[in-house]
Amino acid sequence: MRIAIGGFLHESHSFAPRPTGYREFIETGGFPTLQWPETMLAALRGISVPAAGAIAEAEKAGATIAPLGWAFANPAGPVTREAFERIAGMILGALSRAMTPGAHSRAGPIDGVYLDLHGAMVSDDFPDAEGELLRRVRAVIGPHIPLTASLDPHANMTRAMVDHADALVPFRTYPHVDMPAAGARAMALLLRRVAGEPAWPKAFRELDFLIPITSQCTMAEPMAGVMEARARLAEGLAELGYCFGFPYCDFPGCGQAIAGFGPGAEAAVDALAAEIASREGAFMGGVMHAAEAVAEARRLAASANKPVVIADTQDNPGGGGHGDTTGLLAELIAQGAQGAVLAIMNDDESAAACHAAGVGATLALNLGGRSDGAPLAVTATVENLTDGRFTLTGPMGRGNPADLGPCALIRVAPGVRAVVVSRKMQAHDQAVFTQMGVEPAAQRILAVKSSVHFRADFGPIAAAVLVAAAPGPVVADPATLPFTALRPGLRLRPGDNRRF
């Protein structure tokens, strides 16, 4: 049994300030860098990515793996033509070689293909980039070789994706603490097909309203109840996949979708759609203005014995933000917050200046603001410096290598500090603080550039969690974006009957 495994992951924000080029798949922050087929297996085994779970499941079954290469870039603007074609070409070239071994190889034919995909990639040429990649893979392997893929639940799952795959398996959690498990599930389904199980009937349905990402957390209602219903309705199916959608992609396939695989898929998809519709009104709200959030955090921190966590949701690098807007930091300074630390400020120029000045130095910085032209003038005291290389320790990324380039811990006001880095990463892991010598649980206020992922690692140590709207492109209300290409009839927010 010979199984081909590859991956190509990007979450694209159509309105983000910077495109995603090939370089961004090399400089990845808290995920492995681009892996060619020759290095892929060694780099991914045992870490927290879906492909790692698929590799382990395949090897447990005694399969030989034909690696195709794997690539990830942090969410940002659409993927450039060059980057998409280079990486797709790597995967398809390796797959073509694996399908037609030459005299130098005794490898047998490919029995199945697994792909580690995100599902919300937009490229210069292909708004449904994963649909196009799956089409190309299917063209290489033909109609009969089984093909499965894992997806991030923020996928904008499309009919093209469903048509070209035997099964699609989204993660069940947000924060995404089950990434390897999702890869293992997709591989288990692939192995069932390879073993001779007939192709499953499919059902697919798009829902008619967008959900803000701040309301998609599976640790709380209403999404917790939706996922419980999904599990109940999936009984007897090969897979019942629900994708929440990434509501920043300007193309007709943007939004929630459900796909069922197996006998009874149509009824299960309809029933889950009804469960989601019954909770529609609960999917909006819960976001505070930055000034209100800081004031409330100061009030709560005055009597708390744990830190108050503020999420800087609109500059979330995990949603397409550049991680460098300064609105929340400026508010912490203006209100005289005490015991506050913000992570992370993505500013390679300021990080380099701090390294040149050295620990203990005081210097003037125009901090951040590279993406929106609004830096914050501060007088900074350098408290610590690192090379930015460390290992993630939290539930979502445990074991993943991080390389944020030169980093600095600076004090920008008597009670306010910031972690400055040279490469962006979402602050979903306490290690972004501890690698700078800051113990998160000992702080009064923790400000993190994240929307939901931070809850997995920071929720257990938090006295309270507040979600703040400071400047940034990952807007809390996607209905405010200048969409032009959504499908007719889609509603841009829950509970709003106006349609695109």
Side-chain angles (χ1 to χ4, degrees):
M1 183 167 54
R2 191 159 173 253
I3 303 296
I5 295 179
F8 190 1
L9 300 97
H10 191 255
E11 185 178 56
S12 306
H13 189 316
S14 294
F15 309 101
R18 298 191 181 189
T20 304
Y22 188 74
R23 177 182 176 183
E24 280 64 45
F25 289 90
I26 305 296
E27 299 179 352
T28 56
F31 281 84
T33 188
L34 185 147
Q35 299 297 319
W36 290 87
E38 296 77 11
T39 63
M40 188 193 89
L41 294 178
L44 299 186
R45 278 193 183 100
I47 66 171
S48 189
V49 297
I55 291 166
E57 188 75 12
E59 292 181 333
K60 184 173 71 174
T64 298
I65 295 174
L68 307 178
W70 185 93
F72 165 93
N74 277 298
V79 175
T80 64
R81 177 179 296 112
E82 179 214 14
F84 180 81
E85 294 299 342
R86 286 181 72 176
I87 296 168
M90 172 185 71
I91 291 169
L92 291 159
L95 180 59
S96 295
R97 291 190 296 274
M99 290 287 293
T100 56
H104 64 281
S105 172
R106 295 185 178 180
I110 293 297
D111 296 296
V113 179
Y114 159 80
L115 294 178
D116 182 359
L117 304 177
H118 184 285
M121 177 163 43
V122 175
S123 76
D124 285 344
D125 294 324
F126 303 107
D128 177 13
E130 285 91 353
E132 172 62 15
L133 181 65
L134 287 164
R135 184 194 69 78
R136 295 184 188 186
V137 169
R138 182 57 76 187
V140 171
I141 65 176
H144 302 301
I145 292 178
L147 166 61
T148 66
S150 55
L151 299 176
D152 189 297
H154 291 109
N156 294 308
M157 184 167 52
T158 65
R159 185 171 295 279
M161 295 182 203
V162 174
D163 286 347
H164 293 305
D166 287 72
L168 299 172
V169 182
F171 316 159
R172 313 296 197 220
T173 62
Y174 182 35
H176 304 327
V177 296
D178 68 329
M179 290 187 286
R185 285 193 294 269
M187 178 57 68
L189 292 179
L190 181 68
L191 296 176
R192 285 167 57 180
R193 287 281 292 114
V194 169
E197 189 166 338
W200 300 295
K202 302 176 186 179
F204 174 72
R205 179 166 173 177
E206 295 173 317
L207 282 72
D208 72 344
F209 66 96
L210 299 180
I211 300 178
I213 60 172
T214 51
S215 299
Q216 295 179 3
C217 178
T218 59
M219 297 170 64
E221 295 296 344
M223 195 59 82
V226 170
M227 297 310 289
E228 289 173 4
R230 189 220 63 82
R232 183 180 71 253
L233 294 167
E235 292 291 332
L237 295 181
E239 171 64 16
L240 181 61
Y242 169 44
C243 290
F244 320 150
F246 187 61
Y248 305 105
C249 295
D250 192 12
F251 83 115
C254 181
Q256 302 178 75
I258 307 167
F261 302 88
E266 288 280 0
V269 166
D270 289 345
L272 183 55
E275 290 277 356
I276 296 164
S278 73
R279 295 168 168 81
E280 179 179 340
F283 279 109
M284 198 69 192
V287 179
M288 310 168 76
H289 291 295
E292 180 186 3
V294 171
E296 179 67 2
R298 292 175 61 229
R299 184 187 71 80
L300 294 171
S303 58
N305 57 8
K306 294 181 178 181
V308 176
V309 178
I310 308 176
D312 191 358
T313 184
Q314 296 195 150
D315 193 33
N316 173 16
H322 197 57
D324 71 341
T325 66
T326 60
L328 183 57
L329 181 62
E331 195 62 47
L332 289 165
I333 296 170
Q335 293 196 29
Q338 297 297 307
V341 190
L342 179 141
I344 49 183
M345 182 65 67
N346 176 29
D347 182 349
D348 57 350
E349 294 178 22
S350 291
C354 291
H355 274 254
V359 173
T362 298
L363 67 162
L365 296 174
N366 284 319
L367 187 62
R370 303 294 185 265
S371 65
D372 65 355
L376 180 65
V378 298
T379 299
T381 299
V382 182
E383 294 193 352
N384 197 9
L385 299 169
T386 73
D387 63 6
R389 294 191 179 103
F390 57 98
T391 300
L392 301 186
T393 57
M396 183 175 156
R398 185 174 290 115
N400 287 0
D403 184 356
L404 303 185
C407 299
L409 176 66
I410 59 174
R411 186 173 295 276
V412 294
V416 181
R417 296 183 291 172
V419 176
V420 183
V421 304
S422 299
R423 299 182 189 124
K424 77 174 186 178
M425 173 188 158
Q426 184 177 173
H428 61 70
D429 197 293
Q430 291 188 44
V432 301
F433 290 98
T434 57
Q435 64 107 8
M436 298 303 312
V438 175
E439 176 50 55
Q443 311 310 308
R444 298 180 71 182
I445 297 174
L446 295 172
V448 293
K449 287 186 179 286
S450 179
S451 294
V452 171
H453 282 322
F454 73 94
R455 292 179 182 269
D457 206 17
F458 292 91
I461 67 167
V465 170
L466 309 174
V467 181
V474 192
V475 295
D477 182 3
T480 62
L481 292 169
F483 291 109
T484 62
L486 300 179
R487 63 182 177 273
L490 184 66
R491 293 179 291 124
L492 303 189
R493 60 167 67 95
D496 191 336
N497 290 324
R498 293 173 294 177
R499 296 181 183 273
F500 185 77

